[in-house]
Amino acid sequence: MFSAPNYHVKKILTLVNAKAIRARRFKVALETINASASVTAKPLLAALGCMVVGLNTKTNGDFVHMPEPNPKNLAAFADFVKKKKVDIGFALDPDGDRLVLVSPTHGVISEEYSVALATEHVLKHIEKGPIVINQSTSRMSEDIAKAYKCRAYHSIVGEPNVVALMRKKNAVIGGEGNGGVIYPRLHYGRDGMMGIALVLDYMAKSRKTIDELIVAIPHYEIAKDKVTLKDAGADIKKAFTVLRETLIKKFKDVPHTVTDGVRFAWPDRWLHVRASNTEPIVRLFAESPTLAESEALIAQAKKSLTPFIA
């Protein structure tokens, strides 16, 4: 009888060096918030020869914490990973399309590293080619692509937009900074299981720990904020147009694009400001070498937007 999870696992096994991963006998912690991701994650890790210790890996839909896979919601899992002395922890959101890595030493790793590590591994060990990330995703992947003399493209925020640009540019890998790895050799969609396999493949190939792999990647800190627009009414996009022009004047000497709100790019940092598609709010994202610098960049933008903020 055909089984979608089994088919999924078998396909993933053909895309990594399963033999090398099995030889490492990784001890892995898994957290799937008692949701459907367990159905595929458990057999995948078993097929890769991992010894698995699980927390909240039932499939009864009993969410024991808020589903967003962030450090706050994964605090108990981070303690579990440290206590069990595993090689790495994998946390998935309920439907398994977002992957967050957890280190036994440093705890929850920013979800931005899932795509960055997968990108590093693919470009270094599998194939070189263009990559695609959205405009609010960490520039870690962009720096990695540059190191391997590959092009990095920025799409409009949203999985369908990332996929559309990946198809257009024939990208070898892509994704979003929320932990969503997209690997075309498997399919055009975010897939946490593929992310797990690629990270284990990288650890097996390099014979390095997750901490050693993380340290080797260019490091940045992202800050995120949002503000409510004053008198935006139903036409959020129209209200945002005036606000966008204000920011362009504020940062007049900085290269920028306006394909998705407005995004300014400095040599070592960026600022992305975009209007919500459904609410009268504006989201601000900034990334710099330090969190303080990123927060300062957002503060500068918000100060310029004071007349527009409710």
Side-chain angles (χ1 to χ4, degrees):
M1 181 182 293
F2 176 78
S3 165
N6 288 343
Y7 178 82
H8 193 181
V9 169
K10 288 178 181 179
K11 178 65 174 177
I12 290 174
L13 294 179
T14 68
L15 299 174
V16 295
N17 190 334
K19 183 178 180 180
I21 297 173
R22 293 182 190 120
R24 290 295 305 275
R25 299 182 180 277
F26 289 116
K27 184 177 181 182
V28 171
L30 177 67
E31 214 269 23
T32 59
I33 194 173
N34 291 328
S36 60
S38 281
V39 175
T40 306
K42 286 180 177 179
L44 172 64
L45 290 169
L48 291 172
C50 298
M51 187 178 90
V52 181
V53 291
L55 179 69
N56 307 320
T57 57
K58 297 177 182 178
T59 54
N60 57 15
D62 180 17
F63 291 2
V64 293
H65 58 71
M66 295 298 289
E68 182 77 12
N70 58 34
K72 179 182 177 181
N73 296 333
L74 295 174
F77 182 55
D79 291 339
F80 181 80
V81 167
K82 184 176 182 179
K83 179 180 178 181
K84 295 297 182 179
K85 298 180 180 180
V86 299
D87 294 299
I88 188 171
F90 294 116
L92 294 158
D93 67 339
D95 61 353
D97 68 342
R98 295 173 59 187
L99 170 68
V100 173
L101 311 175
V102 181
S103 159
T105 306
H106 300 295
V108 180
I109 299 167
S110 167
E111 64 269 30
E112 298 285 345
Y113 278 93
S114 300
V115 172
L117 277 178
T119 297
E120 169 87 8
H121 176 46
V122 168
L123 297 184
K124 184 175 184 179
H125 296 128
I126 301 177
E127 63 177 322
K128 291 181 173 60
I131 72 160
V132 173
I133 53 177
N134 74 31
Q135 293 186 26
S136 291
T137 294
S138 172
R139 65 171 292 151
M140 289 188 290
S141 294
E142 185 179 350
D143 284 2
I144 289 166
K146 185 177 180 181
Y148 291 101
K149 295 180 171 56
C150 297
R151 285 290 302 271
Y153 295 94
H154 292 95
S155 78
I156 296 173
V157 171
E159 182 180 6
N161 300 312
V162 177
V163 168
L165 191 56
M166 288 180 71
R167 289 181 182 275
K168 182 178 179 180
K169 299 299 183 181
N170 197 27
V172 297
I173 192 167
E176 299 186 288
N178 59 7
V181 177
I182 303 174
Y183 193 43
R185 288 192 176 196
L186 180 65
H187 61 76
Y188 279 103
R190 297 186 311 205
D191 196 305
M193 312 306 154
M194 190 70 244
I196 286 173
L198 287 171
V199 170
L200 290 175
D201 200 30
Y202 193 9
M203 291 172 67
K205 178 73 175 181
S206 64
R207 302 197 68 81
K208 292 182 178 179
T209 67
I210 185 61
D211 291 331
E212 289 171 329
L213 294 180
I214 290 297
V215 168
I217 288 180
H219 180 74
Y220 299 94
E221 293 283 352
I222 286 184
K224 303 176 183 180
D225 204 348
K226 62 182 179 180
V227 295
T228 302
L229 290 181
K230 184 190 302 180
D231 302 324
D235 196 345
I236 304 169
K237 296 296 184 182
K238 184 177 180 180
F240 181 77
T241 301
V242 179
L243 177 152
R244 182 185 65 195
E245 293 306 312
T246 299
L247 287 174
I248 290 173
K249 290 179 181 178
K250 163 72 175 176
F251 301 109
K252 62 181 180 180
D253 297 324
V254 182
H256 66 274
T257 58
V258 293
T259 53
D260 186 13
V262 59
R263 186 180 190 275
F264 301 93
W266 291 262
D268 66 341
R269 65 199 63 204
W270 54 265
L271 169 70
H272 186 202
V273 183
R274 63 189 300 272
S276 167
N277 292 321
T278 57
E279 304 172 80
I281 64 172
V282 168
R283 300 186 187 279
L284 301 96
F285 307 84
E287 185 177 51
S288 305
T290 69
L291 183 59
E293 290 172 297
S294 297
E295 291 175 339
L297 197 52
I298 285 182
Q300 287 182 55
K302 287 175 67 175
K303 185 176 181 180
S304 297
L305 302 181
T306 300
F308 308 97
I309 299 174

